[in-house]
Amino acid sequence: MINKEIADALNSQMNFEMYSANIYMSMASWFDAKNLTGCANWMKIQYAEEMFHCTKFYNYINERGARVLIDGMPAPATEWDSPLAAFETALGHEQIVTSRINDLVAQAIEAKDHATVNFLQWFIGEQVEEEASVDGVIQQLKLMEGAPGGLFMLDRELGQRVFTPPAK
Ligand code: FEO
Protein backbone atom coordinates (compact mmCIF):
# COMPACT_ATOMS: atom_id res chain seq x y z
CA MET A 1 0.00 0.00 0.00
CA ILE A 2 1.26 3.48 -0.81
CA ASN A 3 0.54 6.58 1.22
CA LYS A 4 -2.14 9.00 0.04
CA GLU A 5 0.26 11.77 -0.98
CA ILE A 6 2.21 9.41 -3.23
CA ALA A 7 -1.00 7.91 -4.66
CA ASP A 8 -2.29 11.43 -5.42
CA ALA A 9 0.99 12.41 -7.08
CA LEU A 10 1.04 9.23 -9.20
CA ASN A 11 -2.60 9.80 -10.19
CA SER A 12 -1.76 13.35 -11.16
CA GLN A 13 1.09 12.14 -13.38
CA MET A 14 -1.08 9.42 -14.90
CA ASN A 15 -3.59 12.09 -15.91
CA PHE A 16 -0.78 14.32 -17.20
CA GLU A 17 0.38 11.49 -19.47
CA MET A 18 -3.15 11.28 -20.88
CA TYR A 19 -3.14 15.06 -21.36
CA SER A 20 0.19 14.68 -23.19
CA ALA A 21 -1.42 12.08 -25.45
CA ASN A 22 -4.23 14.55 -26.26
CA ILE A 23 -1.70 17.26 -27.14
CA TYR A 24 0.04 14.95 -29.60
CA MET A 25 -3.23 13.81 -31.17
CA SER A 26 -4.20 17.47 -31.60
CA MET A 27 -0.84 18.11 -33.29
CA ALA A 28 -1.44 15.05 -35.51
CA SER A 29 -4.75 16.54 -36.60
CA TRP A 30 -3.07 19.90 -37.38
CA PHE A 31 -0.42 18.17 -39.52
CA ASP A 32 -3.02 15.99 -41.30
CA ALA A 33 -5.01 19.13 -42.14
CA LYS A 34 -1.86 20.46 -43.82
CA ASN A 35 -1.31 17.21 -45.72
CA LEU A 36 1.91 16.58 -43.79
CA THR A 37 0.88 12.99 -43.15
CA GLY A 38 4.37 11.84 -42.11
CA CYS A 39 4.54 14.46 -39.35
CA ALA A 40 0.99 13.44 -38.39
CA ASN A 41 2.12 9.83 -38.21
CA TRP A 42 5.02 10.81 -35.93
CA MET A 43 2.53 12.54 -33.61
CA LYS A 44 0.15 9.56 -33.62
CA ILE A 45 3.03 7.30 -32.57
CA GLN A 46 3.82 9.80 -29.83
CA TYR A 47 0.16 9.59 -28.75
CA ALA A 48 0.52 5.80 -28.47
CA GLU A 49 3.69 6.21 -26.38
CA GLU A 50 1.92 8.58 -24.00
CA MET A 51 -0.99 6.18 -23.58
CA PHE A 52 1.56 3.46 -22.84
CA HIS A 53 3.04 5.71 -20.13
CA CYS A 54 -0.44 6.42 -18.79
CA THR A 55 -1.27 2.72 -18.58
CA LYS A 56 2.04 2.00 -16.88
CA PHE A 57 1.10 4.48 -14.10
CA TYR A 58 -2.43 3.06 -13.99
CA ASN A 59 -1.18 -0.49 -13.47
CA TYR A 60 1.31 0.53 -10.82
CA ILE A 61 -1.22 2.57 -8.80
CA ASN A 62 -3.64 -0.33 -8.98
CA GLU A 63 -0.98 -2.88 -8.05
CA ARG A 64 -0.08 -0.89 -4.95
CA GLY A 65 -3.66 -0.99 -3.69
CA ALA A 66 -4.63 2.62 -4.44
CA ARG A 67 -7.54 3.80 -6.56
CA VAL A 68 -6.93 5.16 -10.06
CA LEU A 69 -8.84 8.40 -10.60
CA ILE A 70 -9.32 10.11 -13.96
CA ASP A 71 -9.62 13.88 -13.67
CA GLY A 72 -10.70 16.62 -16.06
CA MET A 73 -7.93 17.60 -18.43
CA PRO A 74 -7.52 20.97 -20.15
CA ALA A 75 -8.27 20.98 -23.86
CA PRO A 76 -5.06 20.90 -25.93
CA ALA A 77 -4.09 23.73 -28.27
CA THR A 78 -5.25 23.27 -31.85
CA GLU A 79 -3.08 25.65 -33.87
CA TRP A 80 0.66 26.24 -34.27
CA ASP A 81 2.51 28.79 -36.38
CA SER A 82 4.65 26.26 -38.25
CA PRO A 83 5.87 22.64 -38.09
CA LEU A 84 8.93 23.89 -36.21
CA ALA A 85 6.71 25.71 -33.69
CA ALA A 86 4.70 22.52 -33.11
CA PHE A 87 7.80 20.41 -32.47
CA GLU A 88 9.28 23.13 -30.24
CA THR A 89 6.04 23.11 -28.23
CA ALA A 90 6.40 19.32 -27.97
CA LEU A 91 9.95 19.66 -26.65
CA GLY A 92 8.87 22.24 -24.06
CA HIS A 93 6.13 19.87 -22.97
CA GLU A 94 8.54 16.96 -22.62
CA GLN A 95 10.81 19.14 -20.48
CA ILE A 96 7.85 19.77 -18.16
CA VAL A 97 7.19 16.00 -17.99
CA THR A 98 10.86 15.39 -17.10
CA SER A 99 10.68 17.96 -14.34
CA ARG A 100 7.47 16.38 -12.97
CA ILE A 101 9.07 12.92 -12.95
CA ASN A 102 12.11 14.32 -11.11
CA ASP A 103 9.80 15.90 -8.51
CA LEU A 104 7.95 12.59 -8.12
CA VAL A 105 11.21 10.74 -7.49
CA ALA A 106 12.20 13.34 -4.87
CA GLN A 107 8.80 12.95 -3.17
CA ALA A 108 9.08 9.14 -3.15
CA ILE A 109 12.60 9.33 -1.69
CA GLU A 110 11.35 11.70 1.00
CA ALA A 111 8.54 9.23 1.85
CA LYS A 112 11.06 6.33 1.85
CA ASP A 113 8.86 4.63 -0.76
CA HIS A 114 11.61 2.65 -2.48
CA ALA A 115 9.23 0.62 -4.64
CA THR A 116 7.93 3.83 -6.20
CA VAL A 117 11.47 5.18 -6.61
CA ASN A 118 12.31 1.93 -8.41
CA PHE A 119 9.18 2.15 -10.60
CA LEU A 120 10.03 5.71 -11.61
CA GLN A 121 13.54 4.81 -12.79
CA TRP A 122 12.06 3.56 -16.05
CA PHE A 123 10.55 7.01 -16.66
CA ILE A 124 13.87 8.73 -15.93
CA GLY A 125 15.45 6.83 -18.84
CA GLU A 126 12.37 7.20 -21.01
CA GLN A 127 12.38 11.00 -20.64
CA VAL A 128 15.97 11.20 -21.92
CA GLU A 129 14.76 9.39 -25.07
CA GLU A 130 11.58 11.47 -25.33
CA GLU A 131 13.47 14.76 -25.30
CA ALA A 132 16.17 13.50 -27.68
CA SER A 133 13.62 12.19 -30.14
CA VAL A 134 11.74 15.51 -30.42
CA ASP A 135 14.95 17.50 -30.46
CA GLY A 136 16.21 15.36 -33.35
CA VAL A 137 13.26 16.47 -35.48
CA ILE A 138 13.74 20.11 -34.44
CA GLN A 139 17.37 20.04 -35.52
CA GLN A 140 16.42 18.62 -38.92
CA LEU A 141 13.70 21.26 -39.37
CA LYS A 142 16.21 24.02 -38.54
CA LEU A 143 18.81 22.62 -40.94
CA MET A 144 16.38 22.59 -43.82
CA GLU A 145 15.07 26.13 -43.31
CA GLY A 146 14.99 27.74 -46.74
CA ALA A 147 15.71 24.45 -48.54
CA PRO A 148 12.87 23.70 -50.93
CA GLY A 149 11.76 20.10 -50.74
CA GLY A 150 13.34 19.60 -47.32
CA LEU A 151 10.06 19.44 -45.49
CA PHE A 152 8.70 17.00 -48.05
CA MET A 153 11.70 14.69 -47.50
CA LEU A 154 11.47 14.93 -43.72
CA ASP A 155 7.72 14.29 -43.84
CA ARG A 156 8.38 11.09 -45.77
CA GLU A 157 10.97 10.02 -43.20
CA LEU A 158 8.67 10.72 -40.22
CA GLY A 159 5.99 8.67 -41.92
CA GLN A 160 8.17 5.60 -41.33
CA ARG A 161 7.97 5.84 -37.53
CA VAL A 162 6.24 2.86 -35.94
CA PHE A 163 5.11 2.23 -32.40
CA THR A 164 7.21 -0.37 -30.64
CA PRO A 165 5.98 -0.93 -27.10
CA PRO A 166 8.95 -0.12 -24.85
CA ALA A 167 10.44 -2.90 -22.71
CA LYS A 168 8.53 -3.15 -19.43
FE1 FEO B 1 5.10 10.47 -21.24
FE2 FEO B 1 6.39 12.12 -23.43
O1 FEO B 1 6.24 11.75 -21.66
Side-chain angles (χ1 to χ4, degrees):
M1 193 77 180
I2 39 181
N3 76 35
K4 185 173 178 335
E5 288 71 30
I6 297 288
D8 288 349
L10 291 169
N11 256 303
S12 168
Q13 187 57 30
M14 186 205 67
N15 280 282
F16 202 77
E17 299 289 348
M18 210 181 293
Y19 171 54
S20 307
N22 288 347
I23 290 173
Y24 290 122
M25 199 55 114
S26 185
M27 287 179 174
S29 161
W30 185 78
F31 279 115
D32 265 327
K34 300 205 159 338
N35 286 321
L36 288 166
T37 56
C39 293
N41 173 68
W42 194 97
M43 290 296 173
K44 286 173 197 164
I45 301 302
Q46 197 63 27
Y47 166 88
E49 293 221 347
E50 298 306 344
M51 289 310 293
F52 182 89
H53 299 167
C54 173
T55 305
K56 213 170 162 65
F57 274 102
Y58 180 111
N59 290 341
Y60 180 73
I61 294 164
N62 203 38
E63 222 169 55
R64 297 293 310 277
R67 175 80 204 278
V68 168
L69 295 167
I70 310 298
D71 64 24
M73 277 156 271
T78 55
E79 299 292 334
W80 292 271
D81 290 340
S82 65
L84 179 60
F87 278 96
E88 282 179 334
T89 300
L91 179 59
H93 184 78
E94 287 305 328
Q95 288 164 341
I96 292 170
V97 175
T98 300
S99 159
R100 290 177 62 103
I101 298 289
N102 286 338
D103 288 348
L104 260 176
V105 172
Q107 187 180 348
I109 289 171
E110 175 84 26
K112 296 191 170 63
D113 184 343
H114 298 291
T116 298
V117 173
N118 185 52
F119 165 74
L120 291 168
Q121 293 313 303
W122 184 90
F123 285 94
I124 298 278
E126 178 72 355
Q127 279 312 117
V128 173
E129 280 181 35
E130 289 277 273
E131 288 191 28
S133 161
V134 187
D135 193 47
V137 180
I138 289 172
Q139 295 316 316
Q140 290 189 72
L141 281 166
K142 283 185 174 169
L143 276 173
M144 72 178 51
E145 264 176 339
L151 184 56
F152 174 75
M153 298 287 288
L154 179 63
D155 191 60
R156 272 223 312 225
E157 184 190 323
L158 299 186
Q160 306 301 313
R161 189 183 187 199
V162 292
F163 177 59
T164 311
K168 302 219 167 154

